[in-house]
Amino acid sequence: MTKSGYIGSYTKKEGKGIYRFVLDEDKAAVTEVATAYEIEASTFIARHNQFLYAITKEGERCGIASFRVENDGTLTLLNKCLDSVEGTGCYISVSEDGNYLFEAVYGAGLLRLYELDAATGEVVRLIEELEHKYPTGPHERQEHAHVHYVQQTPDKKYVAACDLGTDRVVSYTYDEEGYHEAAVSEFTAGYGPRHIAFHENQPYAYVVHELSNKVSVTKYDDGHFEEVGVYVTIPDDFREATKLAAVHLSHDQRFLYVSNRGHDSIAVFEVSDKGDTLKLVEIVKTGGEFPRDFNISDDDQYIVCAHQEGDSPVTVLKRNKKTGQLTLTDDKQHAAEGVCVIFD
């Protein structure tokens, strides 16, 4: 059985923008990686139904490109909306109804909100560019706001934005006029919130912190995130430079996976039945340098991991569904400067 998906990449060196990969589960290997669409600064990509969206830029103009995903997996460019000069984004997501696209811009410390045409997939307009102006943290990388993530919450009432520079997660409502602040949740100074994984069955969310290599288990309620536990993602005796990257839950919600760039590993945690506690299972090397992102196949059998540095292998790790443990099975294919992985 084969599964396929896309990898978004930087285009600073050899990266092409958007790759397509094929995972052969019988061989426990990625058998093909090919350029799907060469586009500058694609970095993060997002899929909604038959449409795919990518961060892009042309000269000083920054924004979003929209594509139609054809039956054979090829991408047809629909349009681009390049209405900002404030820098390219680092994360995008799409509202469940397909009418809005949310973009986090790390360098400029802001959020962008776009209107989409859910029927055609095109980006209609940039609605708002909102700058974060909260007090910053003590870390040297917290010189100003750095918005790193923005995603719709499970109750569909808000979008939650992680701000690495200010140690906050800010929840917003949104409409055709822009964002409206609803709640602000503060975390320990210097932690650097990066991404969130929401439990599908319990009122808990797992906020991962890039600067501290920690995971906060939080109780999520009406836009607020209340920390109830903290867990470390690297070995206690590791002293070299490393920073946390991606977080994903297995589809059965039993295990949480977090990648570490520098230690070049994935930390595996068992999630309690209530979702309120974690137990470290193992920390496994990913088979490449700087594992920026990974994703889990819909049958929970495999993880496909992209690496930003070195020769950028696309590695495959087989999952033990009962224990959550990972085994590296393949590292033969490559996607230069890979930073984002999504399955079809």
Side-chain angles (χ1 to χ4, degrees), residues 162 169 187 193 195-197 205-209 214-218 225:
C162 289
V169 175
F187 290 87
H195 284 183
I196 304 174
Y206 311 95
V207 181
V208 296
H209 304 287
K214 293 179 179 178
V215 181
S216 292
V217 177
T218 68
F225 296 81

Side-chain angles (χ1 to χ4, degrees), residues 43-343:
T43 61
F44 215 84
I45 54 179
R47 180 80 182 267
H48 186 268
N49 296 333
Q50 73 270 38
F51 306 117
L52 184 142
Y53 300 91
I55 295 167
T56 190
K57 70 173 184 177
E58 292 180 4
E60 297 300 314
R61 310 299 301 182
C62 306
I64 303 297
S66 65
F67 300 87
R68 182 174 62 251
V69 180
E70 307 296 353
N71 292 335
D72 62 357
T74 59
L75 300 177
T76 299
L77 179 66
L78 298 174
N79 79 323
K80 296 179 182 180
C81 178
L82 301 169
D83 287 345
S84 176
V85 294
E86 296 299 322
T88 55
C90 63
Y91 189 100
I92 56 174
S93 62
V94 180
S95 62
E96 187 178 49
D97 60 12
N99 291 324
Y100 295 93
L101 184 143
F102 318 106
E103 182 182 22
V105 185
Y106 177 87
L110 54 82
L111 290 169
R112 296 187 186 119
L113 177 64
Y114 299 84
E115 179 186 353
L116 302 179
D117 185 322
T120 67
E122 293 186 348
V123 185
V124 178
R125 64 185 176 110
L126 173 62
I127 297 173
E128 185 185 18
E129 199 165 55
L130 175 68
E131 182 181 1
H132 270 196
K133 296 182 179 180
Y134 306 99
T136 56
H139 193 279
E140 62 182 4
R141 286 182 54 201
Q142 295 179 308
E143 75 284 7
H144 60 76
H146 289 299
V147 187
H148 216 310
Y149 162 101
V150 57
Q151 182 83 40
Q152 205 169 31
T153 54
D155 53 21
K156 305 300 184 291
K157 294 170 62 176
Y158 311 100
V159 289
C162 289
D163 191 331
L164 179 148
T166 70
D167 295 311
R168 286 164 170 78
V169 175
V170 186
S171 296
Y172 296 92
T173 59
Y174 58 92
D175 55 30
E176 63 276 6
E177 296 181 353
Y179 291 110
H180 311 281
E181 183 186 296
V184 180
S185 303
E186 295 186 37
F187 290 87
T188 301
Y191 267 26
R194 178 184 170 93
H195 284 183
I196 304 174
F198 289 93
H199 199 292
E200 291 183 0
N201 307 318
Q202 301 292 345
Y204 291 95
Y206 311 95
V207 181
V208 296
H209 304 287
E210 177 174 332
L211 303 181
S212 60
N213 300 291
K214 293 179 179 178
V215 181
S216 292
V217 177
T218 68
K219 187 170 185 180
Y220 172 76
D221 180 41
D222 196 32
H224 296 268
F225 296 81
E226 178 188 357
E227 186 177 83
V228 298
V230 180
Y231 302 82
V232 180
T233 67
I234 54 174
D236 292 338
D237 59 353
F238 188 74
R239 297 292 181 265
E240 298 176 36
T242 188
K243 50 189 176 182
L244 180 153
V247 58
H248 294 283
L249 277 161
S250 57
H251 296 283
D252 61 12
Q253 309 295 289
R254 295 183 57 225
F255 296 95
L256 186 79
Y257 296 85
V258 184
S259 63
N260 300 300
R261 297 168 291 171
H263 190 254
D264 297 338
S265 62
I266 291 178
V268 183
F269 295 93
E270 184 175 5
V271 181
S272 64
D273 290 342
K274 292 183 179 179
D276 59 345
T277 59
L278 301 176
K279 178 182 178 182
L280 181 65
V281 175
E282 63 177 354
I283 302 174
V284 180
K285 293 293 186 177
T286 59
E289 296 180 39
F290 228 65
R292 181 64 177 265
D293 194 24
F294 62 93
N295 220 317
I296 306 171
S297 60
D298 59 3
D299 58 8
D300 270 341
Q301 295 277 11
Y302 292 95
I303 281 177
V304 172
C305 184
H307 297 81
Q308 183 182 330
E309 303 295 343
D311 59 357
S312 301
V314 178
T315 59
V316 179
L317 299 101
K318 184 174 176 59
R319 289 190 67 247
N320 183 313
K321 287 187 174 183
K322 292 182 179 180
T323 67
Q325 293 176 302
L326 302 176
T327 302
L328 180 67
T329 60
D330 177 57
D331 62 357
K332 301 299 189 297
Q333 299 292 329
H334 303 267
E337 299 183 86
V339 297
C340 178
V341 180
I342 61 174
F343 278 93

